[in-house]
């Protein structure tokens, strides 16, 4: 675990936002790998709608003291979309990375994202490639780099754009779309993508991280 001293008055560059519901074993596996990559520029934000306190116990055990900046919220089950919108609101980072509790983050992923947004602050959307097979084969076969425009984003990614752990975006660009998204949230309805499409309708830059940097649902392999 990194030995970073957190300045509570500073703003993190990246918030990794994790909605979770009643999957403590998956959460712990994901979380153990995640915290190995954290720096003082990153915060963890968890919304836990589980009917028990197992996830909170994992966080307390793996994040002792104040070495890692994190927020934890306990609530009633509201569905994935509503939880993701809640996390946008509560996060404090300039960028948000939505991450699923049953995926895994590959080594070097966070460092690569931080380096990318530091070098080009006009980037408002990043899509981090994933694989299923643990062999490093990217799910989307495209050269790394900027998308030409929003149309290329949608044409290249297709339905893959909805995979939770691939989405990294500028928080300020998502905030204006929260009210509209909430009007259309009903359990698991993909209304959480409304802020993403709002960002893609803007004037920022959109980037494809070839990776793969995300291992999708490895326990199913």
């Amino acid at each position: 675990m990194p030995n970073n001293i957190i300045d509570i008055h500073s703003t993190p560059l990246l918030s990794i936002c994790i909605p979770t519901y009643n999957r403590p074993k998956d959460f712990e596996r994901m979380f153990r790998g995640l915290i190995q990559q954290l720096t003082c520029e990153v915060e963890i934000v968890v919304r836990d709608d589980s009917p028990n306190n197992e996830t909170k116990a994992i966080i307390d055990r793996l994040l002792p003291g104040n070495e890692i900046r994190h927020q934890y919220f306990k609530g009633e089950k509201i569905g994935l979309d509503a939880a993701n919108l809640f996390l946008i609101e509560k996060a404090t980072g300039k960028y948000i990375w939505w991450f699923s509790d049953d995926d895994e983050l590959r080594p070097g992923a966070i460092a690569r994202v931080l380096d990318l947004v530091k070098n080009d602050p006009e980037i408002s959307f990043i899509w981090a490639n994933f694989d299923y097979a643990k062999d490093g084969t990217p799910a989307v076969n495209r050269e790394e780099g900027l998308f030409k425009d929003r149309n290329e984003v949608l044409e290249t990614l297709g339905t893959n754009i909805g995979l939770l752990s691939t989405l990294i975006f500028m928080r300020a660009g998502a905030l204006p779309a929260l009210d509209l998204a909430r009007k259309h949230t009903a359990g698991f309805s993909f209304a959480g993508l409304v802020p993403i499409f709002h960002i893609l309708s803007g004037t920022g830059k959109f980037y494809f991280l070839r990776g793969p940097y995300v291992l999708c649902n490895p326990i199913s392999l």
Side-chain angles (χ1 to χ4, degrees):
M1 187 182 303
N3 293 318
N4 297 310
I5 298 175
I6 300 300
D7 179 0
I8 62 173
H9 301 294
S10 65
T11 300
L13 185 56
L14 177 66
S15 296
I16 299 180
C17 296
I18 308 164
T20 188
Y21 176 75
N22 210 26
R23 293 199 286 200
K25 291 183 179 179
D26 294 343
F27 181 90
E28 180 167 358
R29 172 184 47 77
M30 175 278 301
F31 205 64
R32 284 184 178 275
L34 173 63
I35 61 177
Q36 300 305 314
Q37 298 191 41
L38 298 181
T39 74
C40 59
E41 297 175 292
V42 182
E43 74 165 347
I44 300 296
V45 191
V46 176
R47 169 153 183 142
D48 176 20
D49 291 353
S50 306
N52 53 60
N53 295 315
E54 294 181 57
T55 299
K56 181 62 164 62
I58 292 168
I59 294 172
D60 290 343
R61 185 173 75 251
L62 296 180
L63 295 184
N66 296 313
E67 294 178 341
I68 301 297
R69 188 196 311 253
H70 63 283
Q71 301 186 65
Y72 173 85
F73 298 94
K74 181 76 171 175
E76 297 180 353
K77 186 178 181 181
I78 58 174
L80 181 59
D81 276 337
N84 281 332
L85 299 178
F86 174 92
L87 289 165
I88 291 177
E89 189 171 45
K90 296 301 182 181
T92 62
K94 181 178 180 181
Y95 289 86
I96 287 174
W97 189 338
W98 275 335
F99 209 83
S100 176
D101 61 4
D102 65 347
D103 292 340
E104 287 184 10
L105 196 62
R106 289 194 174 277
I110 291 178
R112 181 70 186 96
V113 170
L114 292 176
D115 181 67
L116 185 61
V117 297
K118 287 178 184 177
N119 283 290
D120 193 345
E122 293 183 10
I123 292 175
S124 59
F125 172 84
I126 300 169
W127 195 83
N129 213 345
F130 68 96
D131 72 276
Y132 287 109
K134 291 189 176 181
D135 63 359
T137 302
V140 178
N141 188 15
R142 179 193 187 275
E143 290 186 4
E144 177 157 333
L146 290 169
F147 291 101
K148 180 174 62 177
D149 53 29
R150 68 182 69 95
N151 291 329
E152 187 180 16
V153 173
L154 299 176
E155 290 169 3
T156 300
L157 300 181
T159 57
N160 286 317
I161 197 173
L163 186 65
L164 186 65
S165 301
T166 63
L167 297 167
I168 305 161
F169 53 93
M170 193 175 287
R171 180 174 179 267
L175 288 174
L178 289 186
D179 286 343
L180 176 61
R182 289 192 180 104
K183 290 179 181 178
H184 299 281
T185 298
F188 188 73
S189 61
F190 293 98
L193 286 176
V194 170
I196 302 300
F197 293 135
H198 181 78
I199 289 170
L200 292 176
S201 70
T203 59
K205 296 180 180 179
F206 317 132
Y207 196 91
F208 177 81
L209 270 179
R210 178 176 171 83
Y213 285 110
V214 177
L215 181 58
C216 186
N217 194 14
I219 61 169
S220 67
L221 301 177

